[in-house]
Amino acid sequence: MPLLCGRSIRVQQVILRTVAPFKTDKRTMASQIPAKFDIKTAYRMNSGYEIPALGYGVYQTPAATCEEVTLDAFRVGYRHVDSARAYRNEQPCADAIRNSGLKREEIFFTSKVPPKSMGYEAAKKSIESSFFQTGLDYIDLYLIHSPYGGKEARCGAWKALAEAQKAGKIRSIGISNYGVHHLDELEEYIKTSGVGGTIDVGQWEIHPWLPRDDIVEWARKRNVVVEAYCPIVRGQRANEPVLKQLSEKHGKTWAQILLRWSLQKGFVPLPKSVTPSRIEENAAIYDFELDEDDMKSLHFPSSYAPCSWDPTTSHD
């Protein structure tokens, strides 16, 4: 079946394009925000590889339906899938990659060390299990899912990732849900331990009501790509007056406004949906732009309103 089957000509023209191979010296650095965005926009990580600036999240997507909806995302034009060991759906994601008709190098796949698998040996087993379940020859990005477990466990998990990266199994590595104090700790460990590895990506819940300016500043200074999960705040802000105003102004949905905000902030948003029409809608964000006043109206620097867990505050 052709990859574009069943999609509107308008959507195909706006967002159906092929992402370039994921290693280059010509793409935008993570610390730079492009003037223009399209479905091909990618950031060059510290590892030298590229990461598409829009991802498809599969958190809480049941394994039984995950392949189908991931294929839907590929048909729409997504080339970046964010999974994790804890999501229990790595295998259907990999099945979708194989059955998409796309080349493996066209799709960027992420998994994560689960919070219960921290430490060197446990993290190594997590990585091995990912390869066993997916059958992939390599994984584009592997993150430490959270900083829980204490310093020794955090450093041990990083060592396992760095070794897998050196072995060529994992192309890029990073962390998720780390606070600045965790990031400082990891940076010092990398500098002094000889284990190596660079922090290529950090993933956090980020949206206008949880901007995490301190974390973003830390990451930007080191060219760490900032991924934003819960970019549409799980729908909890759909009735915000500012979103209604911007939606009317641009003829876009409140969710598209938030995703466009995330792009223009230089983040990599990871919207999730199992509804084909919304999967499509969440990628149709390249035919409008928020102006300076729009962005200011979504600027809440002192806001702290997570809609999910927040391990960044952990001090174990």
Side-chain angles (χ1 to χ4, degrees):
M1 181 179 293
L3 190 62
L4 304 185
C5 180
R7 298 298 174 195
S8 70
I9 297 298
R10 181 188 63 80
V11 173
Q12 292 172 19
Q13 289 175 338
V14 172
I15 61 178
L16 247 297
R17 305 177 192 172
T18 302
V19 176
F22 293 121
K23 192 156 188 177
T24 180
D25 291 324
K26 298 180 180 179
R27 306 298 284 184
T28 304
M29 298 294 286
S31 56
Q32 302 170 326
I33 301 176
K36 298 290 183 181
F37 294 89
D38 60 33
I39 200 68
K40 296 188 295 183
T41 300
Y43 292 105
R44 183 158 59 90
M45 296 174 284
N46 288 321
S47 63
Y49 288 96
E50 291 179 20
I51 181 170
L54 177 68
Y56 176 63
V58 294
Y59 171 64
Q60 289 188 333
T61 301
T65 58
C66 187
E67 180 182 354
E68 179 184 356
V69 296
T70 302
L71 283 169
D72 279 337
F74 291 156
R75 292 185 187 105
V76 167
Y78 294 82
R79 296 295 182 264
H80 173 179
V81 182
D82 181 79
S83 184
R85 292 291 300 151
Y87 301 170
R88 300 178 184 271
N89 56 22
E90 292 171 299
Q91 180 179 336
C93 288
D95 290 341
I97 292 171
R98 279 185 286 271
N99 294 328
S100 67
L102 297 164
K103 297 178 181 178
R104 169 66 185 93
E105 60 268 23
E106 292 182 68
I107 299 174
F108 189 97
F109 177 71
T110 300
S111 194
K112 309 178 188 77
V113 176
K116 294 183 179 180
S117 295
M118 294 294 281
Y120 177 66
E121 293 296 339
K124 280 183 65 176
K125 290 180 180 178
S126 172
I127 295 166
E128 291 168 2
S129 294
S130 290
F131 280 99
F132 177 78
Q133 289 203 333
T134 63
L136 297 174
D137 293 330
Y138 67 90
I139 292 175
D140 295 278
L141 175 66
Y142 218 106
L143 306 177
I144 298 174
H145 207 148
S146 80
Y148 294 142
K151 179 178 179 179
E152 183 177 352
R154 288 189 289 271
C155 293
W158 181 262
K159 180 181 178 182
L161 289 184
E163 289 181 354
Q165 184 182 39
K166 288 177 183 177
K169 296 179 179 179
I170 297 170
R171 290 186 166 182
S172 304
I173 57 179
I175 50 79
S176 183
N177 297 300
Y178 271 40
V180 170
H181 55 296
H182 301 124
L183 293 166
D184 287 339
E185 173 192 277
L186 177 56
E187 185 173 57
E188 181 65 19
Y189 176 69
I190 292 170
K191 288 179 179 178
T192 60
S193 67
V195 167
T198 57
I199 306 174
D200 301 316
V201 172
Q203 185 179 122
W204 294 273
E205 178 188 342
I206 296 182
H207 45 73
W209 298 274
L210 189 62
R212 300 198 189 278
D213 290 340
D214 57 339
I215 291 174
V216 171
E217 180 182 4
W218 193 100
R220 287 269 159 78
K221 286 181 178 179
R222 296 157 177 83
N223 195 55
V224 175
V225 170
V226 176
E227 291 188 322
Y229 70 80
C230 295
I232 58 176
V233 206
R234 295 181 172 174
Q236 295 177 9
R237 300 280 180 169
N239 294 318
E240 289 283 339
V242 64
L243 292 182
K244 288 186 175 181
Q245 175 191 351
L246 293 175
S247 179
E248 292 174 3
K249 176 179 177 179
H250 293 283
K252 290 290 183 177
T253 67
W254 62 268
Q256 289 170 321
I257 296 297
L258 286 174
L259 290 170
R260 184 70 199 192
W261 175 89
S262 195
L263 281 182
Q264 289 182 212
K265 291 288 286 185
F267 305 146
V268 175
L270 304 170
K272 63 174 291 290
S273 178
V274 295
T275 305
S277 62
R278 288 181 180 171
I279 292 171
E280 196 169 277
E281 174 189 300
N282 288 341
I285 53 177
Y286 301 104
D287 57 351
F288 79 106
E289 183 175 349
L290 299 175
D291 62 31
E292 185 176 352
D293 288 338
D294 296 337
M295 294 297 285
K296 285 181 179 178
S297 71
L298 291 170
H299 183 57
F300 310 116
S302 60
S303 178
Y304 176 78
C307 66
S308 183
W309 64 337
D310 190 10
T312 67
T313 61
S314 171
H315 282 273
D316 67 353

